[in-house]
Amino acid sequence: MSNKTTSSNKYRGYDINTGKDNNLTCNTKTLDQIVDTVECMTKKHSKVLCTRVDIHSEQDSENIIGGKEMTRILENTKRNINSKFKNSPNKPDLHVIWTTEKTSEENNPHYHALFLVNGHAIRNGFTIYETVNKHVKKKLNTEKDGLVHYCESNQGNGIMINRNSEDFEQQKNDAVHAASYLAKTRSKEHNPKGSRVSSSSRLNKAKKK
């Protein structure tokens, strides 16, 4: 498990969130996963939608989301979204990066996830949010709302990166900056021993579309 960190507000040429006074550190493994995925996806697709969600368990319930449950939720989300586009020429090509946080020994873990999809297939981040929310409820066997939070950094429907836009580089920068929240080391001190710093989808390089 990589413990390399940075407190610089720049990483690989992108702005990252290390606080107003650069007093917050970010894990470089997670930053590399974010940058690699953004760069790979924007080479494969001329439009890429980036969406962040936070996922919680019910604090007063013994039925919580652990690492295995989180992996299954993400697998089911990807399968569900892919099935909606099985007859479409534009495939979602969903990728995800996620991290675990446990703010104290007593609190249940919660998760931060960044989804990147082909922006020609999905144009609204709420499509991803609603699918994740459905599978979180199913996994926890609850109808309670509020366990999945749609992040303000999504700037509405999500951050759309358009390779043909004059603001392409700024859009990529905005996406990396928003996603760098996942890399912060604060609030991860109580994570289960041996847990991964972060997990990400495997990147398969392809021709530009």
Side-chain angles (χ1 to χ4, degrees):
M1 183 171 75
S2 172
N3 290 315
K4 293 183 179 178
T5 62
T6 180
S7 58
S8 171
N9 59 8
K10 287 278 189 181
Y11 189 76
R12 289 174 58 180
Y14 295 92
D15 293 331
I16 62 171
N17 184 3
T18 52
K20 293 181 180 179
D21 301 315
N22 296 341
N23 58 344
L24 302 176
T25 57
C26 286
N27 192 288
T28 58
K29 175 188 174 181
T30 309
L31 291 174
D32 283 329
Q33 289 170 333
I34 293 166
V35 173
D36 288 347
T37 306
V38 167
E39 292 187 344
C40 180
M41 286 290 284
T42 53
K43 287 177 182 176
K44 289 170 67 178
H45 307 287
S46 61
K47 288 185 177 180
V48 175
L49 179 69
C50 304
T51 305
R52 255 196 61 209
V53 300
D54 299 334
I55 301 169
H56 298 260
S57 302
E58 296 178 81
Q59 289 299 335
D60 298 328
S61 172
E62 293 182 357
N63 192 14
I64 67 170
I65 299 172
K68 291 181 179 179
E69 290 78 15
M70 182 65 179
T71 299
R72 186 59 57 85
I73 287 168
L74 296 176
E75 288 174 348
N76 290 338
T77 295
K78 183 175 183 178
R79 188 178 299 113
N80 198 174
I81 287 176
N82 283 341
S83 68
K84 293 178 181 178
F85 292 85
K86 62 182 179 180
N87 297 319
S88 171
N90 290 312
K91 305 303 180 185
D93 192 22
L94 186 150
H95 285 70
V96 62
I97 301 159
W98 60 277
T99 61
T100 308
E101 279 195 17
K102 200 166 183 280
T103 55
S104 72
E105 291 292 343
E106 296 75 26
N107 286 340
N108 291 330
H110 64 274
Y111 304 89
H112 301 293
L114 172 73
F115 293 87
L116 297 96
V117 294
N118 177 2
H120 293 283
I122 300 176
R123 298 174 175 84
N124 192 324
F126 283 98
T127 299
I128 297 168
Y129 161 79
E130 289 168 358
T131 308
V132 174
N133 191 46
K134 178 178 75 172
H135 288 293
V136 167
K137 285 183 173 183
K138 186 175 181 180
K139 179 59 65 177
L140 293 177
N141 192 25
T142 181
E143 289 301 318
K144 183 175 180 179
D145 287 314
L147 298 177
V148 180
H149 176 242
Y150 187 81
C151 299
E152 292 181 3
S153 64
N154 292 324
Q155 302 177 10
N157 292 334
I159 297 176
M160 184 70 80
I161 306 174
N162 185 342
R163 195 197 305 145
N164 298 316
S165 169
E166 292 180 357
D167 297 326
F168 174 55
E169 294 298 333
Q170 185 60 49
Q171 291 165 0
K172 281 202 301 179
N173 188 75
D174 289 347
V176 171
H177 183 269
S180 67
Y181 183 83
L182 275 69
K184 68 184 178 73
T185 57
R186 191 182 63 184
S187 301
K188 294 184 173 73
E189 299 90 347
H190 300 282
N191 283 4
K193 188 176 180 179
S195 62
R196 294 184 180 182
V197 171
S198 53
S199 299
S200 66
S201 304
R202 181 176 297 176
L203 296 174
N204 294 315
K205 295 182 179 181
K207 295 180 180 180
K208 289 184 179 181
K209 294 182 181 178

